[in-house]
Amino acid sequence: MPNNELNILVLRQFESAQSLAGRLFLNLHVEFQRMHASWLAQSGAAAKRGFDIAASFSLLVLLSPLFALIAILVKIEDGGPLFFTQTRVGQFGREFKMFKVRSMCLDAEQRLKDILEKNRHKEGITFKLKDDPRITRVGKWLRKFSFDELPQLYNVLIGNMSLVGPRPPLPREVSKYSLAHRRRLAVKPGITCIWQISGRAEIDFSGQVQLDVDYIETQGFWVDVKILAKTIPAVLSGKGAC
């Protein structure tokens, strides 16, 4: 809007505010704009949630034969449980139980302290190791194609997660966050995100945070669709898996 038109508009609003009726009209106008913005935000969230429910339920049904095959392979290898649950931090810092197919040996958590110094992420907040000795033979295959993440479709169905959003961190990771890092907790965490299709574990923590913030600032239905579409070839390629 040109400066002259803007000045005229401001002047008219100032003149209107000089009367009781004018002030009432301006207050109603501001309230209408506030309600309109709130409706747009809520309708977008409702659409995202509706899509999450429909897609996660459909995928859980369609992928049930794959789940059965994975369950047999995991049981054959070491006889341990199929699922691994872990406390993660979700939107606004709320903790929840995230589900994964177990891809590590039964004492993986106890052995973690012995390999922390080999962390590929030098900032020390997140932990990634290329050839983690705790991963089982079946687990290597599951992780390469992210099949171990499939149970998180249930987290999406019950509302802890979304299909697209920043990956949910561990509480010990969040305890090391700066205020800038905590911006990634502003939205519901997801199964896939921008950095999952841009290099996965090869991207360091700071790079992951920046990509998550970029997503939060530009998120929308079609942005999510594009990320989901790019996730399939990224996962099948196995590039950056860890």
Side-chain angles (χ1 to χ4, degrees), residues 39-132:
W39 178 83
L40 288 176
Q42 292 176 8
S43 63
K48 183 181 177 74
R49 179 64 187 141
F51 180 74
D52 280 344
I53 292 173
S56 60
F57 179 78
S58 300
L59 288 170
L60 283 169
V61 173
L62 291 172
L63 296 174
S64 56
L66 178 60
F67 277 115
L69 173 61
I70 290 172
I72 293 171
L73 293 175
V74 171
K75 280 291 183 181
I76 288 176
E77 177 153 11
D78 60 13
L82 171 62
F83 296 112
F84 171 71
T85 60
Q86 193 174 48
T87 299
R88 295 289 180 121
V89 180
Q91 188 177 21
F92 306 136
R94 291 191 290 262
E95 294 185 355
F96 67 97
K97 293 294 184 181
M98 189 186 78
F99 299 94
K100 299 183 72 172
V101 173
R102 185 175 59 85
S103 60
M104 290 190 174
C105 58
L106 296 174
D107 60 345
E109 289 295 304
Q110 291 73 26
R111 293 173 59 184
L112 175 61
K113 61 180 181 299
D114 298 327
I115 57 175
L116 281 174
E117 69 277 2
K118 300 178 181 179
N119 191 1
R120 291 179 62 195
H121 288 181
K122 300 306 181 184
E123 292 167 279
I125 296 178
T126 50
F127 178 80
K128 291 295 178 182
L129 184 61
K130 183 64 176 176
D131 296 309
D132 194 325

Side-chain angles (χ1 to χ4, degrees), residues 192-194 196-198 200 222-237:
T192 187
C193 58
I194 293 180
Q196 287 280 76
I197 61 174
S198 306
R200 299 166 79 179
W222 291 112
V223 172
D224 285 1
V225 170
K226 288 180 181 179
I227 292 174
L228 288 170
K230 292 180 179 180
T231 295
I232 298 173
V235 167
L236 292 179
S237 72

Side-chain angles (χ1 to χ4, degrees), residues 15-220:
E15 291 175 347
S16 298
Q18 301 309 302
S19 65
L20 179 61
R23 289 194 293 273
L24 179 61
F25 173 79
L26 288 175
N27 286 335
L28 288 173
H29 177 72
V30 170
E31 183 63 19
F32 173 79
Q33 293 293 336
R34 186 191 67 78
M35 292 176 62
H36 180 63
S38 177
W39 178 83
L40 288 176
Q42 292 176 8
S43 63
K48 183 181 177 74
R49 179 64 187 141
F51 180 74
D52 280 344
I53 292 173
S56 60
F57 179 78
S58 300
L59 288 170
L60 283 169
V61 173
L62 291 172
L63 296 174
S64 56
L66 178 60
F67 277 115
L69 173 61
I70 290 172
I72 293 171
L73 293 175
V74 171
K75 280 291 183 181
I76 288 176
E77 177 153 11
D78 60 13
L82 171 62
F83 296 112
F84 171 71
T85 60
Q86 193 174 48
T87 299
R88 295 289 180 121
V89 180
Q91 188 177 21
F92 306 136
R94 291 191 290 262
E95 294 185 355
F96 67 97
K97 293 294 184 181
M98 189 186 78
F99 299 94
K100 299 183 72 172
V101 173
R102 185 175 59 85
S103 60
M104 290 190 174
C105 58
L106 296 174
D107 60 345
E109 289 295 304
Q110 291 73 26
R111 293 173 59 184
L112 175 61
K113 61 180 181 299
D114 298 327
I115 57 175
L116 281 174
E117 69 277 2
K118 300 178 181 179
N119 191 1
R120 291 179 62 195
H121 288 181
K122 300 306 181 184
E123 292 167 279
I125 296 178
T126 50
F127 178 80
K128 291 295 178 182
L129 184 61
K130 183 64 176 176
D131 296 309
D132 194 325
R134 302 172 299 161
I135 300 176
T136 64
R137 288 173 296 176
V138 173
K140 290 180 180 179
W141 170 71
L142 292 174
R143 287 190 166 212
K144 181 176 182 180
F145 301 106
S146 294
F147 288 160
D148 59 320
E149 310 285 0
L150 291 179
Q152 288 158 44
L153 289 169
Y154 178 71
N155 285 114
V156 174
L157 185 63
I158 64 177
N160 292 327
M161 296 176 62
S162 178
L163 290 174
V164 181
R167 289 294 294 158
L170 292 162
R172 67 168 179 264
E173 295 171 352
V174 174
S175 67
K176 301 177 183 178
Y177 278 11
S178 67
L179 288 177
H181 296 155
R182 290 180 179 272
R183 293 182 64 189
R184 68 198 303 262
L185 302 178
V187 298
K188 193 175 291 187
I191 294 179
T192 187
C193 58
I194 293 180
W195 58 264
Q196 287 280 76
I197 61 174
S198 306
R200 299 166 79 179
E202 294 179 355
I203 301 176
D204 62 16
F205 177 70
S206 295
Q208 292 175 4
V209 171
Q210 184 57 57
L211 289 173
D212 285 338
V213 171
D214 290 344
Y215 167 76
I216 292 171
E217 294 177 347
T218 61
Q219 64 179 310

